[in-house]
Every structure is written in C-alpha cells, then in structure tokens.
Amino acid sequence: MNSLSKPSHSDLFSHLYIEESVLDEPLTKEIRAKFSKSKIIIIKHYKDVFNRPNQDFAVQSRSKNLILARRSAPFLYEGSYYSDGFEYENFFYTPSILGCLYDCEYCYLSGMYNSANSVFFVNTADFFDALTPYLEKPTLIAISYDTDTLAIESITSHTNAWIEHAQKNPNLHLEIRTKSANFKAIRHLASSEQTVLAWTLSPQKIIDSYEHKTPSLQSRLKSIKEAVEAGWRVRVCIDPVIYNEEFHELYPSLIEQLFCTIEPDKLFQLTLGSFRMSSTHLKRMKKLKRSDIAFYPYDVKEGIVSYGKTIEQEILHVMTQKALEYIPETRIRTWQLQ
Amino acid sequence: MLYIVAALSAEARPIVEKYRLKRVHSLPFTLFENEEIKLIISGMGILNAMMATSALLGHCPPNENDLLVNIGICAAPKNFKIGEALLIHKINYKEHSYFPDILFEHQLKESDILSVDEPVENVLQTPADMESYGVYKAASRFFRTHQILFFKVVSDHFEPQAVTKELAQELISKNMQDLEQVLSSARYVIKKGEIFTADEKELIQEISEQLTKAQSDRFVDACYYYKFHRGQPLYQKGTLHESGIKLPDEKLSKLQRSEYLEQLIKTLTL
C-alpha cells in the first residue's frame, strides 16, 4: 500500500465534460474528434463541474480537463480596473473561454476560480451578436482576459474566429494577450491595425519558477519576431513584473533581449507594470500554499495588493529608463496604482 | 490514511484479509482498521452509506493526503461484463449529478453510475448501485473532489436475485490487483509534502505566541514566503538568519512587538 506509482494524466484533457445542449454543435464535434482518447462525460450545465466546491486547483493544474458549454448572457463585461483600456470609449472583455492551459503561480485565475479546468463556450456567434450594438463606435474587446486564447487555438480556432469577425467590422478592435509561441496559428490571416497581439514576457528565470507549462522566452521572442515581420501590431507586456532580489539583473536584461530580437521601430507598444491583484483573489491564492508570490508582505490599498509605492516606482523607473534607450516614451505604457 | 466504505461484509472481506485489518468497536458500525486503513461496513442503501461515512470521517477526520474509496458491487447493462471493475466519474441521484475527479492514469473502464433507493430489476442504461450518492454526499464535506474514489465491480445485469454473498466476495477478490493499482496512482496524485518541519512549526508557534493574532498572520505569511522563495530551512542554528527570527529575550511592550514583527518580516522576505 505504500508504493507510489503512476503520475497524473500525461495527455491533455483526459476528460471532456460536454453540456447536453452543445453535443450536436459542429465545434463540439470537431473538438471531440481531436480528443478521441478522452473520456466523455455528459453534463447539464458547466457550473455543475466548473463551480463544484472542494476542487483542488493545484492538483487539477497538473491534469487539466476541458468543459464544452453554451454561454448565456452576459456575453460582455466592462474592462477591469486592473487593465489598460487604451482610452477606448467602449472597452469590454469577453468571457468566451474560462481558465487557462498554462499555470502561472501569480495569475489571478487561481484566486478567482474553483477549478483549474477550462470552459470553452462553443456558441461564438452569440458573443458576436451581443457586440453588434456597440460597433457604431470604436470598441476594444479583450478576448483573452480569463484565458490565453492563442495557447488553446489549435483546439478552439477561437482567435481566428474573432480576427475574421473584426475584419468584417471596422470599429471592432481586439487585444489578444498571450504567453504562447503560437503565432503560426494565425499566420495565414492578413494583419490588421484593428488587432493588437499583446505578448507577455518574463525573464527565463521567472518563467522557470512561476509560469508553468508556458513556452520559453526564446520561443515567445521568435513568435513575436514573426508577427512583427508579418506586419502585425505587437504590444509587449512586461507585466506583471515579479519583484525579488534579482530584479535589477533580470528585468533590464529582458528589455535588452527583446530589442536585440525585435527592431525597436517595429514594436507597437511596450507595457510595464508590477504585480498587483485584488486582495480577495490573493487570499484564495494563499490557501493553495504553493507559491511565494501569494505570501509577500504587500501593501493593501482599497482592496488591491501591490508592492507598495517605493518598490513600484523603483520597478517602473528602472524599466522605463531601460526601455527609453530603445523606444520613445509615447510608446511606453505603465500601470501603477493612482 | 485510506478510508474504505463497503456496504456488505462480503465486499469487505477480501480487503480485511489482504491487509490484516482488525475489528474495533469504537463506532455503531462494523469497523476494521490497521495503521494505514480504516474500513467501515455501512449496510445497504444511501442513508446507511451516508451515515456510516459521516460517522467514520467525524470519528477520525481526514487530511489533504488521505483518500476515501467506496468499494462494492453494482448492477450494469449487458455491455458491461460481469466481474468488470469500473471507476466512477459521475454519480446520478434523482435530478442531481456529482463528479469525483479522476486525475491519474489507469487501465479501468470509467462510467457514470445511478444511485437508487431500492434494488432495481428493470434494465437501466447505466450501472446502478445503492451507496455511491450517500458516500459522496457525506465524504465531499471532508475531502476534495479528487480524494474520493468509487471502485465498483459489475455483479449482475439487473438480476439482484442472482447476487450472493459468495459472488460479491469473489468479484472483489478477483479485482484486488486493479484496486491496489488505482489506490497507488491516486495516492501519488494527492500526495503533498509538508511545507514546514516539526521544528519549524514549533518555532513559528513560539514566536506567534508573542504576537497578536493579526501580527501572527503576517509573520506566518512571511515564513511561507521564505520557505517557498528560498527553499531553505527556516531555522538554522549558528547562521545570521537565526538572529533575525529568534525568540525575544523578554516580554515585549506593544511598541516593541511591532518593531519585532517588522524585523521578522524584513529578515524573511528581503
């Protein structure tokens, strides 16, 4: 009884949970065909699985499963206080995929969801319909708030669908934020000024420590380079910066690496920001007891935890000064507590 | 600890014999145990299963490294072979469904199961038993979803009269190897290492007693930070670090306590 064998599932999605209502959807059938070895479990509502009490986010993270479901309204949410809305009058995010294939220890998803599994809502057309009334004005939609859409693109084709929808609607602007190295999934599409590909970068040492299952820095840089050369608007986000005793070595050197790979003039924007999170999410992250990030002695102000003014300013000052060696201030965006 | 719930003595017997479990009399249910296993005989039916599981777990509360398995026979449609072992990933009871997580690799067939209140003679579309729902409902108050397993062996094709005690015992006996493999894999997945050693816990406790509750919470957070970030022992005699988190020499005033806490946090997090 003491012997320990067999680790967790090595294959992605050992189990597919599928709502009865989407069993016959073409997208459901396509995804089922890609996971012919997965066990299929029919469910009534995605929340019966995704919102179950007493799930273990950390254990599930090692063996993630996929839930296919139909989303009902709301299909759009106003952009979060923690994110940059880039001065768009209409700024929404869309919860079309919940949960991420990657497992970053600092991610608010681990403090927000009961489950490490992902939910993909296959009724994409309903999201497009909900957006229509807003498209008389320029409207920014973040499609990868609660997920990394490009990471899961080979399964969902979701990013492709949104970019193609934007091509038909000139007022629709997209931000597609990713840590993937999966530019190839959208390489065949024509680049457009309406879509910004926002890559999150971290020093390799931070990736190794905290960003589990994500591609290496080199792979991400390679993907960025391809995207830039294909004419896409690329925003690089060094955000969140994880502060520790090696900050001064790791992060300025990351900026150097970035601009050794990408011609500075071709980068659309650089976003810089230090780690911050709602104190509610952090409290739940602590319960997972798996990361130093959850236990740093942050400052708490109006329900937001951050490194505090002194460290935050130091981070932004060091990073901005380094970035200014390559690009003008007008192309640098920073996030800090007001 | 491994907790086992079985409805019938016949289902439990192969496990009692294999692991040399001893009968104990501390609960109003038949209970067997050794140092690693507690096995309770619930009797048939959902209510019995729920009561026995609650009694067992209330009597000896589990921790995050423990596992509970409901072992027993079930009826099933003819596309399931008699003697086939199943792992259950969905329990249906009336209008509700429950989903134990199976997060490890295994070679068994997985299935839904329908928990019913009475023995069933009509042929159903899925396997059926009389305990899974009761066990899950009670166990889910104590365990995470991946710590509760349902290991069922098909005993009949909805012909309850054909099931004897001898058959139940034989069917479980024949699947003991699969059961052991499943338990071994499940244990691998749930196993979580201790973050602090006993000495570290003692030191944290001693220091916490010098602080207010809120201060203690901040200090403990800083200890977690140190352990995760540095990956080193919290308390090493003869090192500089020791001086930072040593116990105060005398009782501290309110002001001294605040200064002491800030020093502790600085030492552990910078």
Side-chain angles (χ1 to χ4, degrees), chain B residues 88-145:
Chain B
I88 303 302
H89 55 217
K90 178 182 177 186
I91 300 161
N92 297 307
Y93 179 67
K94 296 184 175 170
E95 297 304 309
H96 300 287
S97 297
Y98 304 87
F99 302 91
D101 271 331
I102 299 173
L103 302 178
F104 52 89
E105 288 186 20
H106 63 85
Q107 301 301 319
L108 300 183
K109 184 185 277 187
E110 286 189 23
S111 175
D112 298 7
I113 200 163
L114 175 68
S115 270
V116 293
D117 291 313
E118 301 290 338
V120 175
E121 294 189 29
N122 303 328
V123 175
L124 302 176
Q125 298 298 310
T126 62
D129 78 348
M130 295 175 64
E131 288 80 32
S132 293
Y133 166 72
V135 172
Y136 188 85
K137 194 72 178 165
S140 59
R141 294 276 178 158
F142 294 86
F143 285 105
R144 300 296 185 112
T145 49

Side-chain angles (χ1 to χ4, degrees), chain B residues 242-269:
Chain B
E242 181 194 8
S243 63
I245 59 165
K246 70 177 183 182
L247 277 160
D249 298 326
E250 55 190 31
K251 190 165 171 56
L252 302 173
S253 67
K254 191 176 173 184
L255 179 63
Q256 286 172 323
R257 257 203 322 259
S258 298
E259 289 171 353
Y260 175 57
L261 174 68
E262 294 312 317
Q263 184 57 44
L264 288 170
I265 289 174
K266 203 173 165 187
T267 305
L268 291 166
T269 59

Side-chain angles (χ1 to χ4, degrees), chain B residues 194-209:
Chain B
E194 289 283 338
I195 295 163
F196 297 112
T197 63
D199 284 350
E200 287 171 338
K201 284 179 187 169
E202 194 181 326
L203 177 67
I204 291 168
Q205 177 65 29
E206 284 175 336
I207 291 179
S208 290
E209 283 168 6

